[in-house]
Amino acid sequence: AGRRRAARNFQALRISAAGSAMAAAPPGGAVPADLATAAFSRQQNLVDFDDELVRRQRCFVVGSGGVGSCIGMTLARMGVAHVTFVDMDTVATSNLNRQLLFTPDQVGMNKVDACKQSLERSHAFRTSAAALHCNAVTRWADIVAEAQEQHMTAIFNGCDHGGFFDIALQALARALDSPCLYTAASTYAYTYQVDSYGTAAGEPCLLCTNPPAHSISIDDFAAASGAGRASEDAAGAITAEEALAVLKRVYQSEHELLPGMVRRSIAAASDGAATLPRTRGAVLRFRSALTGEILAELTPARVLAHTSLAFIPADPKPDTSSVGSWAVVCCMGSMFAVNCWVQRLAGQDVPPMTIANINAQRGSVWREQMGWDSFKFHPEPSDGCTLCGFKAPGMPAEEVAAMAGAGGAAAGG
């Protein structure tokens, strides 16, 4: 019965394809002369698949591990024009089970060089590849230059630095001269999450649907002073110097902009004072003000000017090695991310956020699993978002422009 259903579905597809002929395989399995054309004959016969549009795309893969390497491989197998890989890490033996572009002889090699080598050796039939081995946060100027020089039309984010870096990459996508789609993916254990956003004027973005917040807390200051976890508000005040030390030690933040950000945030949280009361409420107000200071530097109008983004915090990271990861979830999450991108490229309505759990057995790993569930989120955007300038009905256009910046409003179009 299953074979009969498959045969009927195949016949329906052939009819809907308006009589397009399937390309014949070369006799005897010979390699066709025009590999760049013949290798893609099957996807060219797909209904609602624009092969010419796909082959013009230039893709930036930021983070080249379990997600990024698989995304890059898939993009090459689809025949995009160009892929640039970015990562600061090297191939480890523990990567080999799920990071599909890597081979045992590449252990110890820069991940980006290994990705480029494998792509060119086995997967790229009409795709050029480049490697950029760097810390994307501290060498942000190199990221901007590569995006501009390569005229990127897609940014794929497989980096786990944190929510503020995600905002920076989407701001970059909106600041480029050519339209550039933003897609992000993350995986662990049996779960993957994919975010997909466009850059059309008035289209909501990651910031207005899922804004990041700095996570600095009173406990960070208590730990820094040797008091351990703060159970109650403590006496005394927090100075700007102490706050800067915590930001450097806990959140890997150290930048020439930070002292001014911290001083202004302390003043905003303490009625203009130069120090911050050592209370939970005051630290929460400081955290909110600091979040605003950071986001003000990550608009499309300003993000291109930074040489480094070291003022943004790295999100606290649990030890994911104890949770585990494997090839299936990395492949499914990465390929679903590429699917969201190509559907959005074709003008389809794609959910901004999808979270899927592929474990059919409940109660395993480190929390109760949901078993083959997939959740698609359509969050409500925020009025006058500083990243995309989303304009709610009735909101004055000049107010949106003032919030997003003239350059951001133009780039968003």
Side-chain angles (χ1 to χ4, degrees):
R3 286 194 294 270
R4 288 196 296 272
R5 284 195 299 272
R8 287 197 298 271
N9 291 338
F10 175 69
Q11 182 65 20
L13 281 172
R14 292 187 64 185
I15 293 172
S16 65
S20 62
M22 300 294 288
V31 177
D34 189 359
L35 188 63
T37 299
F40 301 96
S41 60
R42 294 298 180 96
Q43 77 179 27
Q44 290 163 0
N45 289 328
L46 283 171
V47 177
D48 299 328
F49 191 97
D50 190 338
D51 184 66
E52 284 301 316
L53 179 61
V54 168
R55 75 182 299 167
R56 294 196 299 270
Q57 302 309 303
R58 307 185 67 80
C59 304
F60 211 0
V61 179
V62 183
S64 303
V67 167
S69 62
C70 191
I71 284 176
M73 182 187 72
T74 306
L75 292 170
R77 287 283 176 164
M78 292 170 60
V80 300
H82 178 81
V83 176
T84 292
F85 293 98
V86 179
D87 206 289
M88 61 180 288
D89 205 356
T90 57
V91 179
T93 305
S94 61
N95 300 151
L96 298 178
N97 77 314
R98 67 196 184 282
Q99 301 183 17
L100 300 190
L101 283 181
F102 304 144
T103 55
D105 63 300
Q106 293 174 326
V107 171
M109 191 174 179
N110 291 341
K111 283 187 175 181
V112 292
D113 295 327
C115 283
K116 181 177 183 292
Q117 182 185 80
S118 296
L119 214 68
E120 293 174 339
R121 184 168 54 196
S122 305
H123 303 284
F125 312 126
R126 66 184 189 195
T127 301
S128 64
L132 183 56
H133 179 73
C134 73
N135 182 325
V137 175
T138 59
R139 286 178 53 186
W140 179 250
D142 293 338
I143 302 300
V144 171
E146 181 73 6
Q148 292 175 323
E149 292 168 9
Q150 290 291 347
H151 304 287
M152 296 301 184
T153 60
I155 293 176
F156 290 89
N157 181 10
C159 184
D160 62 354
H161 189 81
F164 287 95
F165 184 71
D166 300 344
I167 296 299
L169 281 179
Q170 195 171 22
L172 174 61
R174 288 180 171 270
L176 296 175
D177 292 335
S178 56
C180 185
L181 301 181
Y182 171 89
T183 308
S186 60
T187 66
Y188 61 92
Y190 297 97
T191 300
Y192 66 80
Q193 176 176 331
V194 171
D195 300 329
S196 173
Y197 292 93
T199 55
E203 186 174 0
C205 69
L206 182 63
L207 175 58
C208 64
T209 57
N210 190 24
H214 208 298
S215 56
I216 192 169
S217 70
I218 188 69
D219 295 324
D220 293 326
F221 291 106
S225 65
R229 184 177 177 85
S231 58
E232 297 179 359
D233 294 343
I238 297 169
T239 64
E241 289 72 21
E242 183 179 355
L244 286 167
V246 167
L247 290 171
K248 179 180 179 180
R249 182 180 61 82
V250 182
Y251 298 95
Q252 304 169 35
S253 300
E254 187 175 20
H255 190 276
E256 60 186 13
L257 291 178
L258 266 182
M261 289 181 171
V262 167
R263 286 194 297 270
R264 290 190 296 272
S265 299
I266 287 177
S270 57
D271 296 326
T275 58
L276 187 71
R278 200 174 292 272
T279 66
R280 292 185 184 277
V283 172
L284 287 174
R285 293 193 299 273
F286 168 76
R287 180 167 72 183
S288 177
L290 185 58
T291 295
E293 289 277 346
I294 294 171
L295 291 176
E297 297 296 329
L298 302 180
T299 65
R302 304 182 74 167
V303 75
L304 298 181
H306 295 298
T307 57
S308 168
L309 297 182
F311 56 85
I312 67 175
D315 285 355
K317 295 179 182 64
D319 180 12
T320 55
S321 63
S322 61
V323 176
S325 186
W326 58 318
V328 172
V329 74
C330 288
C331 289
M332 289 183 71
S334 301
M335 292 185 182
F336 185 77
V338 175
N339 180 63
C340 287
W341 165 73
V342 79
Q343 297 296 328
R344 187 176 288 278
L345 184 66
Q348 301 300 315
D349 183 24
V350 178
M353 183 190 302
T354 301
I355 300 176
N357 186 288
I358 62 171
N359 184 22
Q361 178 180 350
R362 296 176 182 270
S364 61
V365 196
W366 55 279
R367 65 176 183 181
E368 184 177 356
Q369 300 298 313
M370 294 171 285
W372 295 101
D373 285 341
S374 177
F375 300 93
K376 297 179 177 62
F377 296 94
H378 291 270
E380 289 297 322
S382 302
D383 291 353
C385 172
T386 59
L387 177 59
C388 66
F390 178 82
K391 181 179 181 298
M395 188 174 187
E398 58 271 17
E399 184 176 340
V400 175
M403 295 187 72

